[in-house]
């Protein structure tokens, strides 16, 4: 079936370090979203990025739809960046989002 | 404030009881969704609705039921037929079309004792 795979599954960073999270998807998509789930469970929208590159402060994302992957860059990480990062995409037509299993990020001071 | 609200935040029920989780949005979104999240896992789709009085099953609809009588409301009932109902439940909404950006409520944590 249609799959969204995220890597790495777990990541531990020292505060101030940079990181790249990857999302691979098995079929063409017409949308891709990145979310941050905070320790209370709230899913926070980071990027809606069907293709190209977007930046928001210390975070940026790039989706290369033709090669079926997206990258989330976190620069100068802070302890508040800790949590789980999910990517999700609908596959063709009008189908709902399919989520990856997430990358659990821990930023230590 | 515009947003999605879910209630209650925590819910405890005895095995065999039906429970209804509330989801309300004032974003004027046409589409609404229910997801289930188990510890250490991603989100799985239970049901979604793209228009009032219409809804479709997701990947794990068995043991759940929904209604969509009003645009702003999409309650989820967890029935006694759901074999393992303890989980974190998240509601989301978007403008019409599942390719549009989805926004999530804060979630309801259900524990069945």
């Amino acid at each position: 079936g249609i799959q969204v795979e995220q890597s790495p599954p777990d990541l531990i960073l020292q505060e101030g370090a940079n990181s790249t999270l990857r999302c691979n998807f098995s079929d063409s998509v017409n949308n891709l979203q990145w979310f941050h789930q905070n320790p209370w469970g709230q899913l926070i929208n980071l990027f809606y990025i069907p293709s190209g590159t977007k930046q928001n402060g210390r975070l940026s994302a790039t989706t290369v739809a033709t090669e079926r992957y997206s990258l989330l860059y976190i620069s100068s990480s802070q302890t508040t960046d800790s949590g789980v990062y999910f990517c999700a995409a609908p596959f063709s037509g009008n189908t709902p989002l399919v989520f990856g299993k997430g990358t659990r990020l821990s930023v230590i001071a | 404030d515009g947003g999605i609200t879910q209630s209650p935040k925590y819910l405890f029920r005895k095995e065999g009881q039906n429970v209804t989780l509330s989801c309300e949005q004032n974003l004027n979104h046409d589409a609404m969704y229910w997801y289930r999240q188990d510890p250490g896992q991603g989100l799985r789709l239970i049901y979604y609705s793209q228009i009032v009085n219409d809804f479709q099953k997701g990947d794990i609809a068995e043991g759940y039921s929904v209604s969509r009588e009003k645009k702003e409301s999409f309650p989820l009932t967890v029935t006694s037929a759901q074999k393992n109902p303890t989980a974190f439940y998240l509601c989301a909404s978007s403008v019409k079309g599942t390719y549009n950006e989805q926004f999530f409520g804060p979630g309801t944590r259900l524990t069945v004792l």
Side-chain angles (χ1 to χ4, degrees):
Chain A
I2 294 163
Q3 293 185 4
V4 177
E5 295 183 352
Q6 293 188 242
S7 60
D10 296 280
L11 186 58
I12 300 174
L13 295 176
Q14 198 76 34
E15 197 169 25
N18 303 329
S19 63
T20 301
L21 281 58
R22 186 176 181 103
C23 175
N24 291 333
F25 34 94
S26 61
D27 205 344
S28 59
V29 300
N30 52 21
N31 169 20
L32 188 127
Q33 289 189 243
W34 282 98
F35 299 92
H36 175 215
Q37 188 168 39
N38 66 22
W40 297 272
Q42 175 80 55
L43 274 169
I44 299 161
N45 289 39
L46 297 177
F47 294 100
Y48 170 79
I49 183 166
S51 63
T53 297
K54 291 187 176 180
Q55 179 143 14
N56 185 4
R58 295 181 296 105
L59 274 60
S60 65
T62 296
T63 295
V64 184
T66 53
E67 297 186 24
R68 300 181 184 171
Y69 73 89
S70 183
L71 302 174
L72 177 69
Y73 305 95
I74 304 173
S75 64
S76 304
S77 58
Q78 301 175 358
T79 54
T80 52
D81 293 331
S82 296
V84 184
Y85 290 80
F86 290 103
C87 66
F91 289 89
S92 72
N94 204 18
T95 57
L97 291 178
V98 175
F99 278 78
K101 292 189 176 180
T103 292
R104 182 172 297 277
L105 175 64
S106 300
V107 181
I108 53 178
Chain B
D1 272 7
I4 304 169
T5 57
Q6 293 186 241
S7 61
K9 195 169 185 177
Y10 298 95
L11 187 56
F12 296 88
R13 279 294 181 268
K14 291 184 180 178
E15 197 170 333
Q17 289 182 332
N18 291 356
V19 295
T20 297
L21 282 56
S22 169
C23 178
E24 305 273 333
Q25 53 95 5
N26 61 3
L27 300 168
N28 200 31
H29 284 169
D30 294 293
M32 297 185 75
Y33 312 81
W34 274 106
Y35 294 87
R36 170 183 170 136
Q37 186 179 27
D38 294 288
Q41 300 296 313
L43 278 67
R44 293 183 292 167
L45 183 68
I46 304 172
Y47 269 100
Y48 67 106
S49 167
Q50 298 205 58
I51 196 167
V52 173
N53 293 323
D54 188 42
F55 47 82
Q56 288 79 40
K57 291 182 179 180
D59 300 320
I60 56 166
E62 186 175 347
Y64 300 96
S65 66
V66 293
S67 63
R68 187 87 187 276
E69 297 176 3
K70 297 188 295 182
K71 185 176 182 177
E72 57 270 21
S73 177
F74 191 40
L76 173 74
T77 297
V78 185
T79 75
S80 56
Q82 168 50 233
K83 294 179 182 176
N84 187 16
T86 295
F88 188 49
Y89 291 88
L90 287 152
C91 177
S93 71
S94 71
V95 298
K96 194 172 184 180
T98 59
Y99 45 82
N100 288 305
E101 189 174 8
Q102 281 190 26
F103 297 88
F104 282 80
T108 292
R109 204 166 293 275
L110 172 64
T111 302
V112 175
L113 307 170

